[in-house]
Amino acid sequence: MRILIADNAPFDVQSGATVGDAEIDALYASTDPLLRLNFVATLDGAANGPDGVSGSINSDADHQGFAAMRRAADVLLVGAGTVRAEEYGAAATPIVVVSHRPQLPPSARGGEGIVLATTRASGAQEDEGTWLCGEDTVDLATVVERARQAFGPHVLCEGGPTLAAQLVAAGLVDELGLSWTPHLVGGSRGAHPRILDGVDVEVDLTCRHLLEEDGTLLGLWRVTR
Ligand SMILES: NC(=O)c1ccc[n+]([C@@H]2O[C@H](COP(=O)([O-])OP(=O)(O)OC[C@H]3O[C@@H](n4cnc5c(N)ncnc54)[C@H](OP(=O)(O)O)[C@@H]3O)[C@@H](O)[C@H]2O)c1
């Protein structure tokens, strides 16, 4: 992986120098509590590939950044649409799944460390693995706060676009990790959403770093407030 820009790197940066996992981990580390989004997109802005999942548009370099962001996280926050599409199961990091429904999607049921954050209207009962965080819709500030109290300050949202747009609109997002992989998929926005979908937002960001490998660009941006 080549480092192109890293103004906030905790080590001396030579633009164009090769970096390994230790430096990549240092670039994604944070001492402050954080809600970070992580997405991969094609060069034409699609958040999924021809098969409707992101596995067909990612790359080895994207996997490296994805793994580093997971290592930096205390808890993952994921929308139920992504869990259904990508068949999420248990991971080394606890996962909170946001849904209106009373049960986790099938792939996540019974998975250790997976919590369902849902609504009172769902009819679900509150317990250790089921958090009621709103009446008709999950209040995202509440679920983020509960996730922090239960698991720790660094929250990584791995999508999808519907959840991510609401988090940004609610002012809850601090950083965006985004990989552009060298693919084009065309098609319609309905079939291939962008990384934020459904809610209008108006947000500016500053670049913290930009890395490159085999045509994949990995960026990290900070929301300016
Ligand atoms: N490129 C990437 O990095 C990336 C990352 C993630 C996902 N994706 C792709 O994105 C697509 C899925 O998109 P998506 O927008 O459907 O994903 P999503 O945001 O993960 O899921 C939307 C679902 O999350 C639940 N939800 C979201 N906000 C809620 C709220 N405030 N209260 C209660 N429930 C809420 C609802 O689930 P219920 O229907 O259960 O109520 C809603 O239908 C897939 O193609 C996936 O592969 C791509």
Side-chain angles (χ1 to χ4, degrees):
M1 191 97 72
R2 287 190 304 150
I3 195 160
L4 304 180
I5 303 170
D7 293 342
N8 298 301
F11 52 88
D12 285 341
V13 171
Q14 303 269 329
S15 184
T18 301
V19 286
D21 278 342
E23 288 92 351
I24 295 170
D25 279 350
L27 288 170
Y28 286 106
S30 168
T31 47
D32 296 326
L34 195 68
L35 196 163
R36 181 181 280 156
L37 297 179
N38 182 28
F39 277 97
V40 59
T42 64
L43 295 181
D44 56 339
N48 63 18
D51 53 0
V53 292
S54 58
S56 52
I57 59 167
N58 61 19
S59 65
D60 289 347
D62 171 59
H63 281 136
Q64 245 182 301
F66 177 91
M69 280 182 258
R70 278 207 169 179
R71 285 192 290 273
D74 296 311
V75 54
L76 308 179
L77 185 64
V78 190
T82 294
V83 174
R84 289 189 287 268
E86 311 262 347
E87 301 197 345
Y88 266 61
T93 311
I95 306 177
V96 178
V97 178
V98 178
S99 174
H100 300 90
R101 306 184 198 193
Q103 273 195 306
L104 284 164
S107 65
R109 278 179 211 159
E112 199 174 330
I114 306 185
V115 171
L116 172 69
T118 188
T119 63
R120 277 179 271 283
S122 71
Q125 297 296 309
E126 167 91 25
D127 61 32
E128 203 185 338
T130 306
W131 299 347
L132 303 184
C133 297
E135 199 51 51
D136 295 315
T137 189
V138 170
D139 179 75
L140 298 177
T142 302
V143 77
V144 168
E145 186 50 35
R146 283 192 72 163
R148 286 203 163 112
Q149 280 178 9
F151 302 114
H154 295 133
V155 182
L156 176 64
C157 175
E158 294 185 340
T162 305
L163 176 64
Q166 294 170 72
L167 288 166
V168 174
L172 294 167
V173 172
D174 301 296
E175 287 188 355
L176 168 66
L178 173 63
S179 306
W180 287 293
T181 55
H183 302 288
L184 299 170
V185 300
S188 69
R189 198 176 284 177
H192 303 294
R194 295 174 306 172
I195 63 168
L196 300 186
D197 193 46
V199 182
D200 289 335
V201 302
E202 194 176 348
V203 169
D204 297 321
L205 305 97
T206 53
C207 185
R208 296 196 65 196
H209 72 236
L210 206 47
L211 310 173
E212 187 276 339
E213 184 177 88
D214 294 334
T216 293
L217 283 168
L218 274 83
L220 184 68
W221 286 265
R222 181 132 194 122
V223 171
T224 51
R225 297 206 164 89

